[in-house]
Amino acid sequence: MNDVGGPQTIKAFEEKLLEVSTALPKRLKQCADYVAANRDRIAVSTVAEMAEGAGVQPSAFMRFCQIMGFSGFSGMQKLFRESYVGGWPDYSTRLEHLREKAEGTPSALLAEFVEAGRLSLENLVNSVDPQALEAAVEALAGAQTIHIIGLRRSFPVASYLAYAFEKMGVPAVLHSIVGRLDNHHSIRDGDALLAVTFSPYSAETLELVEQVCARGMPVVAVTDTVVGPLMRTDATLLSVSEVDFGAFRSLSATLCLAITLAVAVGTKRKED
């Protein structure tokens, strides 16, 4: 069990973080922001490492843990270690886990990933807010040009969206940050941004979202939780939960949402 009074599940932790984050003083707000963007590090880091990442003293980070309802960092860390949600290991460790469970045969892997994909797709209907989806389609369909960004694991989704929009004649630009060139100056009034990012969130993606939101332009974000750093922006959030197998996360539900957005936007533009 976790500390008495502390969140007992990851969902409860996220809800508590959302509840307290807006009213925290500067240093503790830094802790909240860092935790929201780096939940994968909680299970495997020391309090000193978490404090350094947040840019605060360890005592400030300990205070943040107490505000979250834990007696200290160990209680928070135990929650994430037990749930195994934030502690995504590196790929060599993930493969070792599969070998230990004798689940590494091709047929077994196929069956497990199919099942994970099936569950992810079933969850998608409940995780996406219908009103947010309608608002997202409205904003993207009304844009002169749709700017798309999604890096690392999100890049296949972003590149697919760019391909789909191109085939439907919808003006779109894919921002890949190749050569550290972000092309943000190409975003003009009347355009919209479609961002795809998951924990641990891409700093480049978050920065572009903040820039575009600050200009009062429409932003649609496909992400894994509404409690993450994007929650504090004006972006329309579409939440996707991917079920993992052996700490490997697929993109089944995310790609399903991507094709939904692309077809809905293309259809609406033709209707208008």
Side-chain angles (χ1 to χ4, degrees):
M1 295 292 291
N2 299 308
D3 296 9
V4 175
Q8 301 295 301
T9 65
I10 297 299
K11 181 175 177 58
F13 179 91
E14 293 176 343
E15 292 173 349
K16 180 71 172 180
L17 185 62
L18 177 60
E19 176 188 336
V20 306
S21 62
T22 56
L24 293 174
K26 179 180 178 182
R27 294 300 182 192
L28 297 180
K29 182 71 160 51
Q30 289 176 220
C31 296
D33 291 346
Y34 185 74
V35 165
N38 298 276
R39 291 180 303 157
D40 59 312
R41 300 184 184 181
I42 297 174
V44 295
S45 300
T46 65
V47 65
E49 290 169 338
M50 293 296 292
E52 181 180 2
V56 301
Q57 293 296 318
S59 58
F61 200 89
M62 290 291 286
R63 174 59 181 152
F64 167 74
C65 294
Q66 292 167 354
I67 289 175
M68 287 296 294
F70 302 98
S71 61
F73 177 67
S74 61
M76 180 188 296
Q77 188 175 60
K78 184 179 181 182
L79 170 65
F80 279 82
R81 284 181 172 174
E82 289 176 346
S83 301
Y84 201 65
V85 173
W88 295 95
D90 59 30
Y91 279 91
S92 62
T93 303
R94 301 181 204 186
L95 291 173
E96 184 61 32
H97 287 164
L98 291 180
R99 285 193 291 269
E100 290 174 355
K101 297 179 180 180
E103 294 172 333
T105 65
S107 296
L109 287 174
L110 177 61
E112 293 289 357
F113 280 117
V114 166
E115 179 64 9
R118 183 186 68 81
L119 292 173
S120 297
L121 289 168
E122 289 180 353
N123 292 339
L124 182 62
V125 177
N126 297 321
S127 68
V128 175
D129 181 352
Q131 291 184 334
L133 183 59
E134 290 282 352
V137 171
E138 189 76 25
L140 296 175
Q144 293 181 13
T145 300
I146 301 173
H147 297 263
I148 309 164
I149 185 168
L151 307 179
R152 294 187 282 280
R153 185 170 77 96
S154 304
F155 184 75
V157 182
S159 59
Y160 171 77
L161 283 163
Y163 166 80
F165 284 138
E166 170 67 22
K167 288 300 181 181
M168 289 187 290
V170 178
V173 175
L174 178 63
H175 294 246
S176 62
I177 320 295
V178 173
R180 305 299 298 175
L181 300 174
D182 58 19
N183 297 320
H184 67 274
H185 294 297
S186 65
I187 303 176
R188 306 289 186 179
D189 291 342
D191 294 348
L193 176 65
L194 174 53
V196 186
T197 186
F198 305 100
S199 178
Y201 308 98
S202 163
E204 297 90 344
T205 301
L206 295 179
E207 182 179 355
L208 187 59
V209 168
E210 291 171 354
Q211 289 177 2
V212 176
C213 283
R215 293 170 59 182
M217 301 169 65
V219 176
V220 174
V222 176
T223 188
D224 51 0
T225 173
V226 294
V227 186
L230 290 169
M231 179 273 298
R232 290 180 291 277
T233 70
D234 293 328
T236 298
L237 301 184
L238 301 176
S239 180
V240 182
S241 175
E242 295 281 5
V243 176
D244 73 280
F245 166 63
F248 286 90
R249 293 170 290 185
S250 72
L251 291 168
S252 303
T254 311
L255 285 169
C256 182
L257 178 58
I259 193 171
T260 300
L261 277 174
V263 173
V265 170
T267 301
K268 187 168 182 56
R269 286 177 68 96
K270 289 187 181 299
E271 291 175 350
D272 294 344

